[in-house]
Amino acid sequence: MHFDVSTAMIVTSALTLAVGASLAVTVSRYPVRLRQAMYIWIGGLLLQIPVFLLFGLVGSLPGVSAIVLANALFGLAYAEMGRAVRVFAGRDSRISRFELVLIAALIAIPIVFGFIWPSTRWRLALGAPLLACLSISVARSILIRDRPLRAADYLTGSLFLISALPMLLRAAIEMVSATPDFEPARAFARTLFFVTGSGLPLIGTIGFLLMCNDRINDELSRLAMLDPLTGVFNRRTFEERAQHVIAAAARERRPLSLLAVDIDHFKLVNDEFGHAGGDEALRLVVALMRETLAEGQILSRIGGEEFAVLLPGADEAEARRTAERLRLHLECSAVDVDGRELYLKISAGVATFGPGMESLSTLLRAADRALYAAKRAGRNRVAISSALVETMT
């Protein structure tokens, strides 16, 4: 069965156009960075359409001008795909110098071996490895990143690595094909080159779309765990994490404490600055609390202006010191709300894991009782749940 390259290139052009147009509509509601990355990728994909047409029609076009243009567009298409991956990963969004050098070389080679020193063999032998380098560069951007890779990453990166192999094969055959005996091998390499060069990047586009969808799902999962205003854990996530930490503390017999923290007189902030000002004050208070807390200490917003802090490894004395550091840091730090400096204060209650307080619910109740005791005593202070028990007895 004869493989008609020209027909295949025309079909691939139509399919690529359809896929690119469909994706442009599909990703219009993606988050900004993912949408930007996907549009860059689609641009690279569409750049290949005239390449496929030029390769399909090159036999009827004069000279090697079409090859020069096709190489430039093909190189730019791969460079744009690599740039899309970098934008996706939050890295440099420019085309790299390495890619620019490869594109320049892809343009120079057909000029040299088409106009100055005509040689189809050396044009292919030197040009194909440069295309392979661009394909490998895209794969490298996908597979070498500072976060764990998913199945879609491996799929997409592998496709671009595989795409480079027929390019290298074609270059190798051209290097040794000095006699007509190599014509069948050259024909096979040429066909494989066109099939993989046009098909695999198109399939890789589906892989990149899956990579973007994985990122969206990760972001949705992250948002479901967080309080949308302050960015700290919401109550549900706090309770889930706290259950595991408390179970580990009981199993390993390690100390653990919990703080209930409330911003004093916060209603006055809302009354004076409105809810927008109150929201800004909450965000700034959370930022100050994060400055004070150590790694591994779990901060959560569990109510309007009420927060919980889980302190793994902290006994009652250490938990009280942490609460005092929070209180003093807030008391001494101004927050800018609507152009005015405010000094907000907090009250805190401390409860420590132990007999009678071995579950999250009992710890929360004890810390809340201590918090309300601190407020009754005048606010801007820390109260200890064990002291309340001793007073009651």
Side-chain angles (χ1 to χ4, degrees):
M1 177 179 177
H2 177 67
F3 180 80
D4 185 0
V5 172
S6 298
T7 302
M9 293 299 99
I10 292 171
V11 171
T12 302
S13 299
L15 184 59
T16 301
L17 179 61
V19 170
S22 300
L23 287 178
V25 175
T26 301
V27 304
S28 60
R29 294 188 179 183
Y30 272 25
V32 174
R33 192 170 75 184
L34 291 184
R35 187 167 67 245
Q36 181 188 5
M38 201 69 214
Y39 281 155
I40 294 171
W41 184 284
I42 292 169
L45 187 67
L46 296 180
L47 278 172
Q48 296 180 69
I49 293 176
V51 175
F52 300 147
L53 292 175
L54 286 169
F55 276 129
L57 300 173
V58 69
S60 60
L61 293 176
V64 293
S65 301
I67 296 294
V68 175
L69 179 58
N71 277 13
L73 290 174
F74 208 46
L76 185 58
Y78 272 80
E80 284 292 276
M81 288 178 168
R83 189 164 74 92
V85 175
R86 291 192 291 275
V87 170
F88 169 84
R91 301 202 299 265
D92 192 350
S93 62
R94 296 170 297 182
I95 295 178
S96 70
R97 290 182 181 179
F98 175 69
E99 290 165 337
L100 289 173
V101 169
L102 291 176
I103 294 171
L106 279 170
I107 295 171
I109 285 173
I111 292 175
V112 171
F113 293 101
F115 294 109
I116 301 172
W117 181 21
S119 174
T120 301
R121 176 188 170 200
W122 286 107
R123 174 173 57 79
L124 294 172
L126 296 177
L130 299 180
L131 292 174
C133 286
L134 282 168
S135 188
I136 292 170
S137 180
V138 177
R140 183 181 183 279
S141 297
I142 295 170
L143 298 174
I144 301 179
R145 303 211 311 272
D146 56 357
R147 62 166 50 201
L149 299 179
R150 301 287 188 83
D153 302 315
Y154 287 114
L155 169 65
T156 312
S158 298
L159 286 172
F160 279 89
L161 287 176
I162 293 170
S163 181
L165 297 179
M167 300 174 186
L168 296 174
L169 175 64
R170 192 175 193 196
I173 289 176
E174 291 295 338
M175 290 286 287
V176 299
S177 62
T179 66
D181 295 339
F182 283 90
E183 188 54 37
R186 293 175 66 188
F188 171 76
R190 182 171 58 250
T191 300
L192 188 63
F193 172 83
F194 281 123
V195 170
T196 57
S198 60
L200 290 183
L202 195 58
I203 300 172
T205 299
I206 299 173
F208 189 64
L209 181 65
L210 292 174
M211 289 168 58
C212 290
N213 286 339
D214 281 344
R215 179 68 60 81
I216 291 172
N217 290 334
D218 288 345
E219 184 65 15
L220 290 175
S221 297
R222 187 185 70 82
L223 291 175
M225 296 170 59
L226 301 181
D227 170 55
L229 175 63
T230 61
V232 298
F233 288 136
N234 57 29
R235 183 170 191 133
R236 187 188 70 179
T237 305
F238 174 77
E239 290 177 350
E240 291 174 355
R241 300 224 167 179
Q243 297 287 3
H244 292 294
V245 174
I246 291 170
R251 185 171 58 252
E252 300 167 13
R253 298 185 179 181
R254 290 188 288 106
L256 177 143
S257 296
L258 184 141
L259 308 181
V261 179
D262 191 83
I263 304 174
D264 295 331
H265 301 297
F266 191 74
K267 184 177 183 299
L268 298 178
V269 178
N270 280 327
D271 290 343
E272 184 168 355
F273 296 95
H275 288 292
D279 289 348
E280 181 62 19
L282 279 173
R283 284 191 287 266
L284 294 170
V285 166
V286 166
L288 292 172
M289 293 174 70
R290 281 174 157 169
E291 291 175 3
T292 307
L293 296 173
E295 185 177 355
Q297 296 177 337
I298 302 172
L299 172 62
S300 169
R301 183 184 178 203
I302 59 175
E305 64 270 16
E306 187 173 350
F307 299 86
V309 184
L310 194 65
L311 307 174
D315 58 17
E316 185 176 89
E318 177 59 29
R320 181 169 190 166
R321 288 193 291 270
T322 299
E324 286 291 351
R325 284 197 301 272
L326 280 173
R327 186 187 67 80
L328 289 171
H329 189 46
L330 264 294
E331 185 180 28
C332 298
S333 301
V335 296
D336 188 312
V337 178
D338 200 18
R340 286 178 51 189
E341 287 189 343
L342 299 181
Y343 288 86
L344 299 176
K345 299 177 175 62
I346 62 170
S347 299
V350 178
T352 302
F353 179 80
M357 283 192 287
E358 298 170 337
S359 67
L360 177 61
S361 59
T362 54
L363 280 169
L364 282 170
R365 283 197 297 269
D368 278 339
R369 285 195 297 268
L371 170 63
Y372 294 131
K375 287 186 172 293
R376 286 194 300 270
R379 294 182 169 83
N380 189 30
R381 64 192 64 222
V382 175
I384 310 298
S385 64
S386 63
L388 300 181
V389 174
E390 292 172 1
T391 301
M392 292 175 60
T393 56

